[in-house]
Amino acid sequence: MENWLTNKSIVIIGGTTGLGFSAAKAFVKHGANVVVVGRNPENCLVAELQLGSQARAKQGDATQPNTSLEAIQLCIREFGSFDGLYHVAGGSGKKYGDGPLHQLTLSAWNSTLDLNLTSLMLSNQAAVQTFLGMGKGGAILNMSSALDFTPFPGHFSAHAYATAKSAVIGFSRSIAATYAPNNIRINVIAPSIIENPENKDLQIEEFISAKQTLNGGRFGLPADLDGAAVYFMSEFSKFTTGQTLTVDGGWNLTEG
């Protein structure tokens, strides 16, 4: 399975930490050139150093209109091509006040949707415009969540986040249908709960071990998504578009 991405140049929005950075390492391993985008300049520097000569990093806020387009332009300048976009940027809206509907403020709603949905629209728009301008096809991979279609209110009642991640699937399918004649394919990965510092408490760990039962029952790891991401960026997925692949450790199959 080595070299699935030889001669591919890929932009990862949210690629300097976590899921995106893990994917960047996998893409480079499989022969791709990558441009990773992140908010924190120190993370950008570390990512570029660790990824090596096949990578460039750009500091930027994905919710701003020009960030993704500038990253794609950097990719073309540095590597001579642009073949794929992987949008990972997003995350919990709890810091804005996302939560149960009866407590949700309009500000929290708007901020969470901007973080998870507006940023994705902007990156996808920039990618499609570039592919059309270059007269070539390409791949877009977006990030949703298994919480969209299998909610669990006992632990996860962030309704703005769930709305945004559900909309990712509808948006992706809509644009996949529109741009399939242009050989632009758009697909989605929907992970369940991925390990991070915010969810490391005993109650959640016990729940996850009963809900995500593969591999002895555990949180997902960033590397668990890498194989799917490599596939969707590669020519092996050239006849696949508008699909959502759930990578959830059994989340959808168990009661928890």
Side-chain angles (χ1 to χ4, degrees):
M1 291 179 60
E2 296 293 327
N3 302 319
W4 278 30
L5 300 176
T6 299
N7 298 323
K8 298 287 188 185
S9 296
I10 300 167
V11 172
I12 307 174
I13 306 298
T16 58
T17 60
L19 295 169
F21 185 54
S22 184
K25 290 186 286 186
F27 292 171
V28 168
K29 180 180 178 181
H30 283 272
N33 302 307
V34 299
V35 170
V36 294
V37 179
R39 290 181 181 230
N40 186 301
E42 292 182 0
N43 289 340
C44 289
L45 177 60
V46 171
E48 192 168 273
L49 289 173
Q50 292 189 13
L51 292 169
S53 62
Q54 290 172 244
R56 302 291 185 271
K58 175 178 174 53
Q59 189 273 331
D61 180 348
T63 66
Q64 297 304 304
N66 293 326
T67 297
S68 293
L69 182 59
E70 291 173 357
I72 291 169
Q73 292 171 342
L74 174 63
C75 186
I76 295 170
R77 286 198 307 271
E78 291 292 312
F79 302 119
S81 183
F82 169 61
D83 303 290
L85 173 88
Y86 185 20
H87 186 102
V88 185
S92 171
K94 289 183 179 179
K95 61 185 176 183
Y96 304 121
D98 186 18
L101 182 59
H102 66 284
Q103 298 174 335
L104 184 62
T105 66
L106 181 59
S107 175
W109 171 268
N110 288 336
S111 296
T112 304
L113 264 60
D114 279 347
L115 177 65
N116 289 284
L117 190 57
T118 302
S119 66
L120 182 138
M121 181 280 290
L122 290 169
S123 72
N124 282 218
Q125 182 182 60
V128 167
Q129 289 173 339
T130 303
F131 289 141
L132 293 176
M134 297 173 72
K136 59 174 285 184
I140 296 173
L141 182 60
N142 291 323
M143 184 71 70
S144 181
S145 170
L147 288 170
D148 302 345
F149 31 85
T150 311
F152 201 91
H155 292 287
F156 306 100
S157 296
H159 297 314
Y161 175 83
T163 299
K165 291 301 186 180
S166 296
V168 167
I169 295 175
F171 175 78
S172 298
R173 286 177 59 82
S174 179
I175 63 173
T178 297
Y179 297 106
N182 304 100
N183 205 32
I184 300 171
R185 60 190 191 276
I186 299 98
N187 294 288
V188 177
I189 295 180
S192 53
I193 308 303
I194 303 298
E195 184 177 65
N196 66 62
E198 293 181 2
N199 57 30
K200 294 297 288 182
D201 70 71
L202 182 59
Q203 185 180 17
I204 295 295
E205 288 186 14
E206 291 177 348
F207 166 72
I208 292 299
S209 68
K211 185 69 173 165
Q212 299 178 180
T213 52
L214 276 178
N215 295 147
R218 62 171 176 82
F219 284 97
L221 302 174
D224 290 328
L225 277 68
D226 289 348
V230 169
Y231 164 73
F232 281 121
M233 288 290 109
S234 78
E235 291 303 307
F236 288 100
S237 65
K238 64 184 178 183
F239 207 57
T240 302
T241 195
Q243 302 303 304
T244 299
L245 177 62
T246 303
V247 183
D248 70 353
W251 174 280
N252 283 300
L253 303 174
T254 61
E255 293 294 330

